[in-house]
mmCIF file with all atom_site columns, all heavy atoms in Angstrom:
data_model
loop_
_atom_site.group_PDB
_atom_site.id
_atom_site.type_symbol
_atom_site.label_atom_id
_atom_site.label_alt_id
_atom_site.label_comp_id
_atom_site.label_asym_id
_atom_site.label_entity_id
_atom_site.label_seq_id
_atom_site.pdbx_PDB_ins_code
_atom_site.Cartn_x
_atom_site.Cartn_y
_atom_site.Cartn_z
_atom_site.occupancy
_atom_site.B_iso_or_equiv
_atom_site.pdbx_formal_charge
_atom_site.auth_seq_id
_atom_site.auth_comp_id
_atom_site.auth_asym_id
_atom_site.auth_atom_id
_atom_site.pdbx_PDB_model_num
ATOM 1   N N   . PRO A 1 397 ? -35.686 46.552 2.245   1.00 0.00 ? 665 PRO A N   1
ATOM 2   C CA  . PRO A 1 397 ? -35.805 45.064 2.355   1.00 0.00 ? 665 PRO A CA  1
ATOM 3   C C   . PRO A 1 397 ? -36.088 44.383 1.012   1.00 0.00 ? 665 PRO A C   1
ATOM 4   O O   . PRO A 1 397 ? -35.559 43.246 0.886   1.00 0.00 ? 665 PRO A O   1
ATOM 5   C CB  . PRO A 1 397 ? -37.072 44.850 3.309   1.00 0.00 ? 665 PRO A CB  1
ATOM 6   C CG  . PRO A 1 397 ? -37.219 46.136 4.082   1.00 0.00 ? 665 PRO A CG  1
ATOM 7   C CD  . PRO A 1 397 ? -36.716 47.156 3.126   1.00 0.00 ? 665 PRO A CD  1
ATOM 8   N N   . PHE A 1 398 ? -36.926 45.006 0.145   1.00 0.00 ? 666 PHE A N   1
ATOM 9   C CA  . PHE A 1 398 ? -37.074 44.409 -1.177  1.00 0.00 ? 666 PHE A CA  1
ATOM 10  C C   . PHE A 1 398 ? -35.761 44.505 -2.049  1.00 0.00 ? 666 PHE A C   1
ATOM 11  O O   . PHE A 1 398 ? -35.483 43.521 -2.717  1.00 0.00 ? 666 PHE A O   1
ATOM 12  C CB  . PHE A 1 398 ? -38.138 45.299 -1.928  1.00 0.00 ? 666 PHE A CB  1
ATOM 13  C CG  . PHE A 1 398 ? -39.535 45.090 -1.266  1.00 0.00 ? 666 PHE A CG  1
ATOM 14  C CD1 . PHE A 1 398 ? -40.004 46.044 -0.504  1.00 0.00 ? 666 PHE A CD1 1
ATOM 15  C CD2 . PHE A 1 398 ? -40.294 43.970 -1.604  1.00 0.00 ? 666 PHE A CD2 1
ATOM 16  C CE1 . PHE A 1 398 ? -41.305 45.990 0.074   1.00 0.00 ? 666 PHE A CE1 1
ATOM 17  C CE2 . PHE A 1 398 ? -41.597 43.847 -0.947  1.00 0.00 ? 666 PHE A CE2 1
ATOM 18  C CZ  . PHE A 1 398 ? -42.048 44.897 -0.148  1.00 0.00 ? 666 PHE A CZ  1
ATOM 19  N N   . PHE A 1 399 ? -34.986 45.584 -1.875  1.00 0.00 ? 667 PHE A N   1
ATOM 20  C CA  . PHE A 1 399 ? -33.617 45.469 -2.533  1.00 0.00 ? 667 PHE A CA  1
ATOM 21  C C   . PHE A 1 399 ? -32.832 44.319 -2.018  1.00 0.00 ? 667 PHE A C   1
ATOM 22  O O   . PHE A 1 399 ? -32.095 43.718 -2.755  1.00 0.00 ? 667 PHE A O   1
ATOM 23  C CB  . PHE A 1 399 ? -32.887 46.866 -2.250  1.00 0.00 ? 667 PHE A CB  1
ATOM 24  C CG  . PHE A 1 399 ? -33.527 48.065 -2.925  1.00 0.00 ? 667 PHE A CG  1
ATOM 25  C CD1 . PHE A 1 399 ? -33.324 49.384 -2.397  1.00 0.00 ? 667 PHE A CD1 1
ATOM 26  C CD2 . PHE A 1 399 ? -34.382 47.919 -4.047  1.00 0.00 ? 667 PHE A CD2 1
ATOM 27  C CE1 . PHE A 1 399 ? -33.877 50.321 -3.096  1.00 0.00 ? 667 PHE A CE1 1
ATOM 28  C CE2 . PHE A 1 399 ? -34.895 48.941 -4.646  1.00 0.00 ? 667 PHE A CE2 1
ATOM 29  C CZ  . PHE A 1 399 ? -34.629 50.155 -4.170  1.00 0.00 ? 667 PHE A CZ  1
ATOM 30  N N   . ALA A 1 400 ? -32.807 44.157 -0.679  1.00 0.00 ? 668 ALA A N   1
ATOM 31  C CA  . ALA A 1 400 ? -32.043 43.030 -0.109  1.00 0.00 ? 668 ALA A CA  1
ATOM 32  C C   . ALA A 1 400 ? -32.521 41.660 -0.662  1.00 0.00 ? 668 ALA A C   1
ATOM 33  O O   . ALA A 1 400 ? -31.570 40.835 -0.966  1.00 0.00 ? 668 ALA A O   1
ATOM 34  C CB  . ALA A 1 400 ? -32.168 43.025 1.404   1.00 0.00 ? 668 ALA A CB  1
ATOM 35  N N   . ALA A 1 401 ? -33.790 41.547 -0.876  1.00 0.00 ? 669 ALA A N   1
ATOM 36  C CA  . ALA A 1 401 ? -34.281 40.276 -1.472  1.00 0.00 ? 669 ALA A CA  1
ATOM 37  C C   . ALA A 1 401 ? -33.796 40.164 -2.817  1.00 0.00 ? 669 ALA A C   1
ATOM 38  O O   . ALA A 1 401 ? -33.290 38.983 -3.301  1.00 0.00 ? 669 ALA A O   1
ATOM 39  C CB  . ALA A 1 401 ? -35.838 40.247 -1.446  1.00 0.00 ? 669 ALA A CB  1
ATOM 40  N N   . VAL A 1 402 ? -33.735 41.182 -3.658  1.00 0.00 ? 670 VAL A N   1
ATOM 41  C CA  . VAL A 1 402 ? -33.191 40.997 -5.024  1.00 0.00 ? 670 VAL A CA  1
ATOM 42  C C   . VAL A 1 402 ? -31.782 40.743 -5.006  1.00 0.00 ? 670 VAL A C   1
ATOM 43  O O   . VAL A 1 402 ? -31.341 39.946 -5.870  1.00 0.00 ? 670 VAL A O   1
ATOM 44  C CB  . VAL A 1 402 ? -33.554 42.292 -5.862  1.00 0.00 ? 670 VAL A CB  1
ATOM 45  C CG1 . VAL A 1 402 ? -33.013 42.289 -7.251  1.00 0.00 ? 670 VAL A CG1 1
ATOM 46  C CG2 . VAL A 1 402 ? -35.030 42.594 -5.959  1.00 0.00 ? 670 VAL A CG2 1
ATOM 47  N N   . LEU A 1 403 ? -31.023 41.325 -4.166  1.00 0.00 ? 671 LEU A N   1
ATOM 48  C CA  . LEU A 1 403 ? -29.561 41.100 -4.042  1.00 0.00 ? 671 LEU A CA  1
ATOM 49  C C   . LEU A 1 403 ? -29.297 39.551 -3.666  1.00 0.00 ? 671 LEU A C   1
ATOM 50  O O   . LEU A 1 403 ? -28.246 39.046 -4.190  1.00 0.00 ? 671 LEU A O   1
ATOM 51  C CB  . LEU A 1 403 ? -28.859 42.030 -3.047  1.00 0.00 ? 671 LEU A CB  1
ATOM 52  C CG  . LEU A 1 403 ? -28.846 43.514 -3.446  1.00 0.00 ? 671 LEU A CG  1
ATOM 53  C CD1 . LEU A 1 403 ? -28.346 44.290 -2.275  1.00 0.00 ? 671 LEU A CD1 1
ATOM 54  C CD2 . LEU A 1 403 ? -27.970 43.660 -4.733  1.00 0.00 ? 671 LEU A CD2 1
ATOM 55  N N   . VAL A 1 404 ? -30.127 39.070 -2.861  1.00 0.00 ? 672 VAL A N   1
ATOM 56  C CA  . VAL A 1 404 ? -29.979 37.622 -2.461  1.00 0.00 ? 672 VAL A CA  1
ATOM 57  C C   . VAL A 1 404 ? -30.116 36.674 -3.750  1.00 0.00 ? 672 VAL A C   1
ATOM 58  O O   . VAL A 1 404 ? -29.354 35.818 -4.062  1.00 0.00 ? 672 VAL A O   1
ATOM 59  C CB  . VAL A 1 404 ? -31.003 37.132 -1.415  1.00 0.00 ? 672 VAL A CB  1
ATOM 60  C CG1 . VAL A 1 404 ? -31.133 35.683 -1.286  1.00 0.00 ? 672 VAL A CG1 1
ATOM 61  C CG2 . VAL A 1 404 ? -30.679 37.767 -0.092  1.00 0.00 ? 672 VAL A CG2 1
ATOM 62  N N   . ILE A 1 405 ? -31.215 37.023 -4.567  1.00 0.00 ? 673 ILE A N   1
ATOM 63  C CA  . ILE A 1 405 ? -31.465 36.375 -5.875  1.00 0.00 ? 673 ILE A CA  1
ATOM 64  C C   . ILE A 1 405 ? -30.216 36.618 -6.741  1.00 0.00 ? 673 ILE A C   1
ATOM 65  O O   . ILE A 1 405 ? -29.746 35.623 -7.369  1.00 0.00 ? 673 ILE A O   1
ATOM 66  C CB  . ILE A 1 405 ? -32.779 36.825 -6.468  1.00 0.00 ? 673 ILE A CB  1
ATOM 67  C CG1 . ILE A 1 405 ? -34.005 36.532 -5.557  1.00 0.00 ? 673 ILE A CG1 1
ATOM 68  C CG2 . ILE A 1 405 ? -32.848 36.145 -7.801  1.00 0.00 ? 673 ILE A CG2 1
ATOM 69  C CD1 . ILE A 1 405 ? -34.233 35.115 -5.262  1.00 0.00 ? 673 ILE A CD1 1
ATOM 70  N N   . LEU A 1 406 ? -29.818 37.833 -6.858  1.00 0.00 ? 674 LEU A N   1
ATOM 71  C CA  . LEU A 1 406 ? -28.670 38.094 -7.699  1.00 0.00 ? 674 LEU A CA  1
ATOM 72  C C   . LEU A 1 406 ? -27.378 37.380 -7.285  1.00 0.00 ? 674 LEU A C   1
ATOM 73  O O   . LEU A 1 406 ? -26.670 36.867 -8.247  1.00 0.00 ? 674 LEU A O   1
ATOM 74  C CB  . LEU A 1 406 ? -28.382 39.650 -7.614  1.00 0.00 ? 674 LEU A CB  1
ATOM 75  C CG  . LEU A 1 406 ? -27.448 40.146 -8.675  1.00 0.00 ? 674 LEU A CG  1
ATOM 76  C CD1 . LEU A 1 406 ? -27.949 39.935 -10.210 1.00 0.00 ? 674 LEU A CD1 1
ATOM 77  C CD2 . LEU A 1 406 ? -27.369 41.737 -8.503  1.00 0.00 ? 674 LEU A CD2 1
ATOM 78  N N   . LEU A 1 407 ? -27.130 37.303 -5.997  1.00 0.00 ? 675 LEU A N   1
ATOM 79  C CA  . LEU A 1 407 ? -26.011 36.504 -5.617  1.00 0.00 ? 675 LEU A CA  1
ATOM 80  C C   . LEU A 1 407 ? -26.091 34.992 -5.958  1.00 0.00 ? 675 LEU A C   1
ATOM 81  O O   . LEU A 1 407 ? -25.119 34.481 -6.323  1.00 0.00 ? 675 LEU A O   1
ATOM 82  C CB  . LEU A 1 407 ? -25.787 36.727 -4.128  1.00 0.00 ? 675 LEU A CB  1
ATOM 83  C CG  . LEU A 1 407 ? -24.560 35.981 -3.410  1.00 0.00 ? 675 LEU A CG  1
ATOM 84  C CD1 . LEU A 1 407 ? -23.227 36.435 -4.089  1.00 0.00 ? 675 LEU A CD1 1
ATOM 85  C CD2 . LEU A 1 407 ? -24.631 36.260 -1.936  1.00 0.00 ? 675 LEU A CD2 1
ATOM 86  N N   . GLY A 1 408 ? -27.195 34.473 -5.654  1.00 0.00 ? 676 GLY A N   1
ATOM 87  C CA  . GLY A 1 408 ? -27.517 33.087 -6.037  1.00 0.00 ? 676 GLY A CA  1
ATOM 88  C C   . GLY A 1 408 ? -27.292 32.773 -7.475  1.00 0.00 ? 676 GLY A C   1
ATOM 89  O O   . GLY A 1 408 ? -26.642 31.833 -7.861  1.00 0.00 ? 676 GLY A O   1
ATOM 90  N N   . MET A 1 409 ? -27.814 33.664 -8.337  1.00 0.00 ? 677 MET A N   1
ATOM 91  C CA  . MET A 1 409 ? -27.570 33.514 -9.778  1.00 0.00 ? 677 MET A CA  1
ATOM 92  C C   . MET A 1 409 ? -26.080 33.614 -10.180 1.00 0.00 ? 677 MET A C   1
ATOM 93  O O   . MET A 1 409 ? -25.600 32.858 -11.063 1.00 0.00 ? 677 MET A O   1
ATOM 94  C CB  . MET A 1 409 ? -28.393 34.588 -10.583 1.00 0.00 ? 677 MET A CB  1
ATOM 95  C CG  . MET A 1 409 ? -29.917 34.390 -10.414 1.00 0.00 ? 677 MET A CG  1
ATOM 96  S SD  . MET A 1 409 ? -30.717 35.848 -11.129 1.00 0.00 ? 677 MET A SD  1
ATOM 97  C CE  . MET A 1 409 ? -30.015 36.051 -12.684 1.00 0.00 ? 677 MET A CE  1
ATOM 98  N N   . THR A 1 410 ? -25.378 34.499 -9.467  1.00 0.00 ? 678 THR A N   1
ATOM 99  C CA  . THR A 1 410 ? -23.971 34.743 -9.749  1.00 0.00 ? 678 THR A CA  1
ATOM 100 C C   . THR A 1 410 ? -23.089 33.459 -9.397  1.00 0.00 ? 678 THR A C   1
ATOM 101 O O   . THR A 1 410 ? -22.332 32.967 -10.259 1.00 0.00 ? 678 THR A O   1
ATOM 102 C CB  . THR A 1 410 ? -23.453 35.993 -8.964  1.00 0.00 ? 678 THR A CB  1
ATOM 103 O OG1 . THR A 1 410 ? -24.056 37.131 -9.383  1.00 0.00 ? 678 THR A OG1 1
ATOM 104 C CG2 . THR A 1 410 ? -22.007 36.174 -9.247  1.00 0.00 ? 678 THR A CG2 1
ATOM 105 N N   . LEU A 1 411 ? -23.380 33.015 -8.257  1.00 0.00 ? 679 LEU A N   1
ATOM 106 C CA  . LEU A 1 411 ? -22.716 31.812 -7.878  1.00 0.00 ? 679 LEU A CA  1
ATOM 107 C C   . LEU A 1 411 ? -22.998 30.620 -8.770  1.00 0.00 ? 679 LEU A C   1
ATOM 108 O O   . LEU A 1 411 ? -22.049 29.793 -9.185  1.00 0.00 ? 679 LEU A O   1
ATOM 109 C CB  . LEU A 1 411 ? -22.971 31.445 -6.372  1.00 0.00 ? 679 LEU A CB  1
ATOM 110 C CG  . LEU A 1 411 ? -22.535 32.455 -5.377  1.00 0.00 ? 679 LEU A CG  1
ATOM 111 C CD1 . LEU A 1 411 ? -23.069 32.062 -3.904  1.00 0.00 ? 679 LEU A CD1 1
ATOM 112 C CD2 . LEU A 1 411 ? -20.987 32.518 -5.236  1.00 0.00 ? 679 LEU A CD2 1
ATOM 113 N N   . PHE A 1 412 ? -24.266 30.439 -9.067  1.00 0.00 ? 680 PHE A N   1
ATOM 114 C CA  . PHE A 1 412 ? -24.592 29.223 -9.891  1.00 0.00 ? 680 PHE A CA  1
ATOM 115 C C   . PHE A 1 412 ? -23.912 29.433 -11.303 1.00 0.00 ? 680 PHE A C   1
ATOM 116 O O   . PHE A 1 412 ? -23.402 28.403 -11.800 1.00 0.00 ? 680 PHE A O   1
ATOM 117 C CB  . PHE A 1 412 ? -26.116 29.246 -10.082 1.00 0.00 ? 680 PHE A CB  1
ATOM 118 C CG  . PHE A 1 412 ? -26.646 28.049 -10.910 1.00 0.00 ? 680 PHE A CG  1
ATOM 119 C CD1 . PHE A 1 412 ? -26.756 26.837 -10.474 1.00 0.00 ? 680 PHE A CD1 1
ATOM 120 C CD2 . PHE A 1 412 ? -26.975 28.374 -12.287 1.00 0.00 ? 680 PHE A CD2 1
ATOM 121 C CE1 . PHE A 1 412 ? -27.163 25.766 -11.293 1.00 0.00 ? 680 PHE A CE1 1
ATOM 122 C CE2 . PHE A 1 412 ? -27.490 27.375 -13.106 1.00 0.00 ? 680 PHE A CE2 1
ATOM 123 C CZ  . PHE A 1 412 ? -27.608 26.006 -12.523 1.00 0.00 ? 680 PHE A CZ  1
ATOM 124 N N   . THR A 1 413 ? -24.010 30.666 -11.826 1.00 0.00 ? 681 THR A N   1
ATOM 125 C CA  . THR A 1 413 ? -23.403 30.788 -13.182 1.00 0.00 ? 681 THR A CA  1
ATOM 126 C C   . THR A 1 413 ? -21.875 30.612 -13.221 1.00 0.00 ? 681 THR A C   1
ATOM 127 O O   . THR A 1 413 ? -21.311 30.037 -14.120 1.00 0.00 ? 681 THR A O   1
ATOM 128 C CB  . THR A 1 413 ? -23.778 32.178 -13.721 1.00 0.00 ? 681 THR A CB  1
ATOM 129 O OG1 . THR A 1 413 ? -25.207 32.370 -13.757 1.00 0.00 ? 681 THR A OG1 1
ATOM 130 C CG2 . THR A 1 413 ? -23.317 32.425 -15.073 1.00 0.00 ? 681 THR A CG2 1
ATOM 131 N N   . ALA A 1 414 ? -21.335 31.167 -12.102 1.00 0.00 ? 682 ALA A N   1
ATOM 132 C CA  . ALA A 1 414 ? -19.840 31.022 -12.061 1.00 0.00 ? 682 ALA A CA  1
ATOM 133 C C   . ALA A 1 414 ? -19.402 29.546 -11.943 1.00 0.00 ? 682 ALA A C   1
ATOM 134 O O   . ALA A 1 414 ? -18.402 29.097 -12.653 1.00 0.00 ? 682 ALA A O   1
ATOM 135 C CB  . ALA A 1 414 ? -19.364 31.727 -10.853 1.00 0.00 ? 682 ALA A CB  1
#
Side-chain angles (χ1 to χ4, degrees):
F666 293 100
F667 290 157
V670 178
L671 290 176
V672 168
I673 300 297
L674 190 59
L675 180 60
M677 292 169 54
T678 298
L679 294 173
F680 179 80
T681 303

